[in-house]
Amino acid sequence: MATRVLLIDDDTRMYELLAQYLGQNGITVAHAPDGGRGLAALEANAYDAVLLDIMMPGMDGLEVCKRIRAKRQIPILMLTARGDETDRVVGLELGADDYLAKPFSPRELLARLRAVLRRAQPTAVADRLESSGVSIDVSGREVRVSGKLVELTGLEFDLLVALVRRAGRVIPRDALLGEAGRGDTVVNERTVDVHISHLRQKLGDEGSRLIKTVRGVGYVFAKEGP
């Protein structure tokens, strides 16, 4: 079955370019020229991923991303002409899976789109992880702490899985995104710190104990004692 993606962008020429290029690579592209119609299209049809522009008239892409994440976990790749790091951080915090600054080559977009689609696929390796009261259903992308469901963004989930899989071992900041399968996500070390901070908060009172900072190096997930 062909992959179907929804492009939410007011740039018609962008749609025509991507529809042709992605179509040649087995991906069907539907188009919504604004946020409202994009959200309506998601309610009416099934898509495998969303390509979402930030700068649109009316409802901007950040608000659209927030509304999408309130209802579904579909992969979101954000597109924007604004290269400011603040936009990247906010978009990722709202739940975007990756971020691509315009202008970009269709080839790079295809590679990043395939990457977010791969990450969204269930994995047969270590389907369930358990450590220090944290239970992770990797294929279902669900996290529970002491039995209580915890809502995480896609990036927060991948960071937690990487840390738990290597519980008791320090992962350097510059290697953590790679361990999480996010080596193609362009953020700096400070951005990683921000996401770890949010992750700790969402894990509750035990967050700071579970994810420890090794000053000047990186992070380690507390390993269960004997």
Side-chain angles (χ1 to χ4, degrees):
M1 185 180 295
T3 300
R4 300 184 71 232
V5 303
L6 174 64
L7 172 67
I8 307 177
D9 193 326
D10 60 331
D11 187 341
T12 302
R13 288 189 61 192
M14 173 72 69
Y15 162 64
E16 293 171 348
L17 173 65
L18 293 182
Q20 179 180 13
Y21 183 81
L22 296 179
Q24 293 170 351
N25 288 276
I27 299 174
T28 301
V29 182
H31 182 223
D34 58 58
R37 279 180 276 191
L39 293 172
L42 284 169
E43 292 293 337
N45 302 282
Y47 299 99
D48 298 294
V50 174
L51 305 176
L52 176 60
D53 186 36
I54 286 186
M55 297 182 66
M56 294 184 291
M59 189 188 309
D60 69 15
L62 294 175
E63 178 62 25
V64 175
C65 181
K66 182 179 178 180
R67 296 191 185 192
I68 292 173
R69 276 290 170 261
K71 289 189 174 183
R72 50 180 57 85
Q73 289 301 314
I74 185 171
I76 299 173
L77 176 57
M78 300 201 80
L79 314 171
T80 184
R82 288 158 54 177
D84 184 72
E85 184 184 31
T86 300
D87 288 335
R88 294 199 296 271
V89 172
V90 172
L92 292 168
E93 286 180 349
L94 289 174
D97 293 274
D98 203 353
Y99 191 107
L100 191 57
K102 298 177 181 178
F104 54 79
S105 71
R107 183 178 179 182
E108 181 181 8
L109 180 132
L110 176 61
R112 289 181 176 272
L113 178 59
R114 284 174 170 167
V116 298
L117 289 168
R118 282 196 303 271
R119 290 196 293 264
Q121 294 301 311
T123 176
V125 179
D127 253 358
R128 187 170 294 277
L129 302 171
E130 302 268 356
S131 185
S132 301
V134 176
S135 175
I136 305 174
D137 178 353
V138 179
S139 60
R141 297 186 72 81
E142 283 190 353
V143 174
R144 294 181 182 273
V145 177
S146 300
K148 183 179 179 181
L149 185 64
V150 177
E151 296 290 339
L152 301 178
T153 67
L155 181 53
E156 290 165 354
F157 179 88
D158 291 338
L159 290 172
L160 180 62
V161 168
L163 288 165
V164 172
R165 278 182 170 153
R166 297 186 64 179
R169 300 173 62 185
V170 178
I171 304 179
R173 284 179 176 82
D174 60 1
L176 186 52
L177 287 175
E179 292 283 342
R182 296 297 191 108
D184 55 352
T185 300
V186 183
V187 295
N188 64 23
E189 292 183 4
R190 174 56 186 155
T191 305
V192 172
D193 293 341
V194 171
H195 287 293
I196 292 293
S197 176
H198 289 309
L199 180 55
R200 282 173 171 153
Q201 293 173 17
K202 292 182 179 181
L203 293 178
D205 295 339
E206 293 290 285
S208 294
R209 181 187 68 82
L210 293 172
I211 303 176
K212 299 178 180 178
T213 301
V214 179
R215 190 174 298 277
V217 182
Y219 296 97
V220 58
F221 191 89
K223 192 172 183 178
E224 289 183 309

